[in-house]
Amino acid sequence: MSQSPPADLPDAATAPPSAPAPRQRRKQARPHELLAAALTLFGEKGFAATRIEEVAALAGVSKGTLYLYYPSKEALLKAVIREHLGQLLDAGENLVATFDGPTSQLLSVLLHTWWDRVGNTPASAIHKIMLSEARNFPEIAAFYNDEVTRPAQRLLASCLQRGIDRGEFRALPVQPTAMNLLAPVIFLMLHKHSFGACSQSQQIVDPAAVIATQIDLVLHGLLLQGDSATTPVAPPAS
Amino acid sequence: MSQSPPADLPDAATAPPSAPAPRQRRKQARPHELLAAALTLFGEKGFAATRIEEVAALAGVSKGTLYLYYPSKEALLKAVIREHLGQLLDAGENLVATFDGPTSQLLSVLLHTWWDRVGNTPASAIHKIMLSEARNFPEIAAFYNDEVTRPAQRLLASCLQRGIDRGEFRALPVQPTAMNLLAPVIFLMLHKHSFGACSQSQQIVDPAAVIATQIDLVLHGLLLQGDSATTPVAPPAS
Amino acid sequence: MSQSPPADLPDAATAPPSAPAPRQRRKQARPHELLAAALTLFGEKGFAATRIEEVAALAGVSKGTLYLYYPSKEALLKAVIREHLGQLLDAGENLVATFDGPTSQLLSVLLHTWWDRVGNTPASAIHKIMLSEARNFPEIAAFYNDEVTRPAQRLLASCLQRGIDRGEFRALPVQPTAMNLLAPVIFLMLHKHSFGACSQSQQIVDPAAVIATQIDLVLHGLLLQGDSATTPVAPPAS
Amino acid sequence: MSQSPPADLPDAATAPPSAPAPRQRRKQARPHELLAAALTLFGEKGFAATRIEEVAALAGVSKGTLYLYYPSKEALLKAVIREHLGQLLDAGENLVATFDGPTSQLLSVLLHTWWDRVGNTPASAIHKIMLSEARNFPEIAAFYNDEVTRPAQRLLASCLQRGIDRGEFRALPVQPTAMNLLAPVIFLMLHKHSFGACSQSQQIVDPAAVIATQIDLVLHGLLLQGDSATTPVAPPAS
DNA sequence: CATGAATGAGACTTCATTCAT
DNA sequence: TATGAATGAAGTCTCATTCAT
């Protein structure tokens, strides 16, 4: 898809003379094209099973060219992750800070926005890659924890706290609750790049429905109103 | 070294048939030992990054011996998955059928039991392996869908339907809701074999707390009782 | 030459049963065969210009087999050098200690022996290899200095000192004189593996003649007897 | 960056022809700068282990520019050798022809001069390069033999013959004796570019002392005057 | 049954060489 | 001229698989 062949050279020619020559433009664009190709393939086949040459070919260059930009396969992986780290959270960062309505609505907007801007995007492959390779690249895993996981949890936790502070939410423990909010969202992302990509399972998971249901579910719960006598529920003796 | 001649076979023959001689027992146990070793390593390092020789070594045999039992690395992977497929669900299969109390409690018992018997078990690595390799081995993915994903969804869906039918639960759409129930449970399993195995992130996720909170959350929701005016929540225009 | 094909299997079959099986015998012989092949090719084409596969082929095995014995090309080089280090000196080590005749004769025997046992042997390629690669592998160079160069110098120096002490030789400075004795010997070795291997230059250098002349030269000098008035000779002002 | 337009060419044109403009001078100097850089690096790391780009960088130009002057790496090597071939001998060529004193002194002046003008010079790396690459590039080796080795031998041989003819020297065979005179000189050169460049071995070899001792040694020999009874020395039976 | 030596296809990486600018 | 981005052949090294013992 992003093979953008030499066909764009004419376009370049119409650019004002102060614009860089096509060769220059390519040089600038190369890293992103390579990272996009790598993201796609690492997400599809996994890091180990992806050949450098495939990445290069998908980016429309030769093997050697890739090495002009990234000194090793591992460096390429790191660059892919670094490139997309911000995007996983940027969308929601200041939404929480500026939002003014009821927290339930904030939560809803947050999750839907996230799916639109991230989950439904190639960047969503990052989580699958991380999951598969975390143990092979502990530094990257730590990096990811610091830059993505923890901030995401903090974002959701602050949102929950807001609801509790404003008297909208019950005072559930925010950390585990945040995890429960995050989990379906991550699940969708992972599913999209694994089973979801295998044709026959599309009907099993419908992202929009899952998210919409999640909002309803976590806000109102399963139980009918007034049926508060059901619990407490204790874990079974193992 | 293994020059112990066939002379010990007669000895073995004198042993009672219910307690096979060590050599026999070994021969019988080999496949399971190999599959256990493969499960561990495939889960830790991924399929492609695991060497056949490592699997053999972890099972205490030589490379050649592994090939006496499984004709290829891919066959080994398939055997690993097949070996553990049942275990992922067996625990809960007839619990639903025989359970007699309130559905909220059934749900709780189901999830806790599952974590005790599966999530907290080496078999939990299966899901990580599947996730990473689904697209590389579509037949395996289909197999997994048929044998695990769909039954699991059916199980949870039937449980939800039971609650609705009995007037305990609100009539949420069962498929997406089932997904939302499943997601945190899968999330915990995956986390355990990826980030969770990288030392510093243990505090971030506490499986027991997450599950307990999930039960509470999905049963009662976040909203304070009577605060039913908050919704409806519509997804934002993207 | 050392390709020793499977033709030696029959020979192995005639060996007493306590002898290792052919496969075992090969396993034991492999390292030496590989080192011999490597010595030959490194000497011929240089380290960098020799391909691992060529070494393996010359030893009669495949690329992969070489890596069962030596983990890298550099390790192979080090092993080659280590394998032949002793041989460069062993010949003369105790000759000096036990020799009983005039020192001039000791010197003569020493140099001729050395050429027979080392200079005229594949091991002589070691010095060419070292010379070419010393700066690329400083540890190896230091190793070589410690194990070969210094001992050789010490051997010659002690021989010279013996002559001086016994009143046979003039009291020339032993270190530089030792170098002058060593130089033609090393020169012959190097020549043999470089220009000497290029057909047309065989007549230029005749090892036996060079060594014989060297003995005569360093013992009696060029000057006619009684012509001691010629010197002193001062270096020219540069 | 190099956008300085052709406008400066007229400026260059106004410069006196004996002092070419910087650009012109540069253009003329390029080949020599490139050859000097190549000599240095080929001598340091060997031909195969030196990258074209390193040579270009050391000469202060880009890879592409080097190819404007030399069509291939091999051509560069040949040019390096050709460039320095004369220098190895020029110094002594007519010294022999014009020298008027005793031959012992001529010999001394010859060797010391040679060390000052060649051995102690970057050109000395040539011999190391040739030694390493002779067998990979037979034509170059032949070239070297014709242009350097044989003339050098002829030079020394004629010098020896002069001494014999004038009744100064004993009538040793001139060819092998010439080799023995040459060997320490070559040894010093080679050492300087291999082991000598590895820090700890500087004390082992002191060029000036080696040469001074050589003169003394080859002129007077080791034996005390009158000790002519020592020989004949026969090579040992191998 | 079990072993582990041997193989060779295939992956990563380097670098001499080309060529559009 | 000069540049340096791009190429792809070639080299090092890995590892799934085979097979003689």
Side-chain angles (χ1 to χ4, degrees), chain B residues 64-125:
Chain B
T65 302
L66 190 151
Y67 277 89
L68 294 176
Y69 294 92
Y70 303 100
S72 74
K73 198 183 180 186
E74 191 172 330
L76 178 62
L77 174 62
K78 289 181 183 173
V80 167
I81 290 164
R82 207 173 292 117
E83 162 103 339
H84 291 91
L85 275 192
Q87 301 183 35
L88 292 179
L89 288 176
D90 283 354
E93 291 256 303
N94 51 15
L95 182 59
V96 174
T98 64
F99 192 81
D100 202 28
T103 311
S104 60
Q105 203 173 342
L106 171 58
L107 222 47
S108 171
V109 171
L110 213 52
L111 294 186
H112 279 103
T113 302
W114 178 89
W115 179 251
D116 280 349
R117 307 267 177 85
V118 178
N120 215 1
T121 273
S124 57

Side-chain angles (χ1 to χ4, degrees), chain D residues 67-215:
Chain D
Y67 277 89
L68 294 176
Y69 294 92
Y70 303 100
S72 74
K73 199 184 180 185
E74 191 172 329
L76 178 61
L77 174 62
K78 289 180 182 173
V80 167
I81 290 165
R82 207 174 292 115
E83 163 104 339
H84 291 91
L85 274 192
Q87 301 182 34
L88 292 179
L89 288 176
D90 283 355
E93 290 257 302
N94 51 16
L95 181 59
V96 174
T98 64
F99 191 81
D100 203 28
T103 311
S104 61
Q105 203 172 344
L106 170 58
L107 222 47
S108 171
V109 170
L110 213 52
L111 294 186
H112 279 102
T113 303
W114 177 90
W115 180 251
D116 281 349
R117 307 268 176 84
V118 178
N120 216 1
T121 274
S124 59
I126 286 283
H127 203 90
K128 182 192 169 188
I129 298 171
M130 287 307 310
L131 197 103
S132 304
E133 304 301 333
R135 295 180 77 168
N136 296 334
F137 301 98
E139 344 85 87
I140 302 187
F143 189 38
Y144 187 80
N145 267 324
D146 292 345
E147 301 292 321
V148 179
T149 306
R150 252 183 285 260
Q153 216 182 22
R154 220 180 301 125
L155 186 67
L156 280 172
S158 73
C159 184
L160 288 169
Q161 196 63 52
R162 178 188 192 268
I164 294 170
D165 291 346
R166 290 170 51 139
E168 300 172 78
F169 292 168
R170 297 192 294 131
L172 288 175
V174 291
Q175 292 288 344
T177 304
M179 274 304 154
N180 275 289
L181 292 176
L182 206 50
V185 140
I186 289 174
F187 172 86
L188 286 176
M189 216 161 54
L190 294 174
H191 185 87
K192 178 183 158 192
H193 290 285
S194 57
F195 302 103
C198 301
S199 53
Q200 85 292 359
S201 57
Q202 262 114 15
Q203 296 109 334
I204 303 184
V205 177
D206 170 10
V210 169
I211 290 185
T213 305
Q214 192 199 9
I215 305 294

Side-chain angles (χ1 to χ4, degrees), chain A residues 71-94:
Chain A
S72 72
K73 198 183 180 186
E74 190 172 331
L76 178 62
L77 173 61
K78 289 181 182 174
V80 167
I81 290 164
R82 206 173 293 117
E83 164 104 338
H84 291 91
L85 273 193
Q87 303 182 34
L88 292 180
L89 287 176
D90 283 354
E93 290 260 302
N94 50 17

Side-chain angles (χ1 to χ4, degrees), chain B residues 17-207:
Chain B
S18 65
R23 183 108 158 225
Q24 296 271 339
R25 261 199 43 244
R26 214 49 207 239
K27 197 159 32 169
Q28 255 186 299
R30 277 286 146 72
H32 297 292
E33 291 170 4
L34 286 166
L35 293 178
L39 176 67
T40 301
L41 293 174
F42 290 167
E44 267 177 32
K45 323 168 54 144
F47 175 71
T50 298
R51 286 180 307 151
I52 282 278
E53 199 160 12
E54 293 177 292
V55 176
L58 185 57
V61 299
S62 74
K63 219 176 355 174
T65 302
L66 190 151
Y67 277 89
L68 294 176
Y69 294 92
Y70 303 100
S72 74
K73 198 183 180 186
E74 191 172 330
L76 178 62
L77 174 62
K78 289 181 183 173
V80 167
I81 290 164
R82 207 173 292 117
E83 162 103 339
H84 291 91
L85 275 192
Q87 301 183 35
L88 292 179
L89 288 176
D90 283 354
E93 291 256 303
N94 51 15
L95 182 59
V96 174
T98 64
F99 192 81
D100 202 28
T103 311
S104 60
Q105 203 173 342
L106 171 58
L107 222 47
S108 171
V109 171
L110 213 52
L111 294 186
H112 279 103
T113 302
W114 178 89
W115 179 251
D116 280 349
R117 307 267 177 85
V118 178
N120 215 1
T121 273
S124 57
I126 286 284
H127 204 89
K128 181 192 169 188
I129 298 171
M130 288 306 311
L131 198 104
S132 304
E133 303 301 334
R135 296 182 76 169
N136 295 335
F137 301 98
E139 342 86 89
I140 301 187
F143 189 38
Y144 186 80
N145 267 324
D146 292 345
E147 301 293 321
V148 179
T149 307
R150 253 184 286 259
Q153 217 182 20
R154 220 180 302 127
L155 187 67
L156 280 172
S158 74
C159 183
L160 288 169
Q161 196 61 53
R162 178 188 192 267
I164 295 169
D165 291 346
R166 290 169 53 136
E168 299 171 80
F169 292 168
R170 297 191 295 130
L172 287 174
V174 291
Q175 291 288 342
T177 304
M179 275 301 155
N180 276 290
L181 291 175
L182 206 50
V185 139
I186 288 174
F187 173 87
L188 286 176
M189 215 161 54
L190 294 175
H191 186 87
K192 177 183 158 193
H193 290 284
S194 56
F195 303 104
C198 301
S199 53
Q200 85 292 359
S201 57
Q202 261 113 15
Q203 296 108 334
I204 303 183
V205 177
D206 170 10

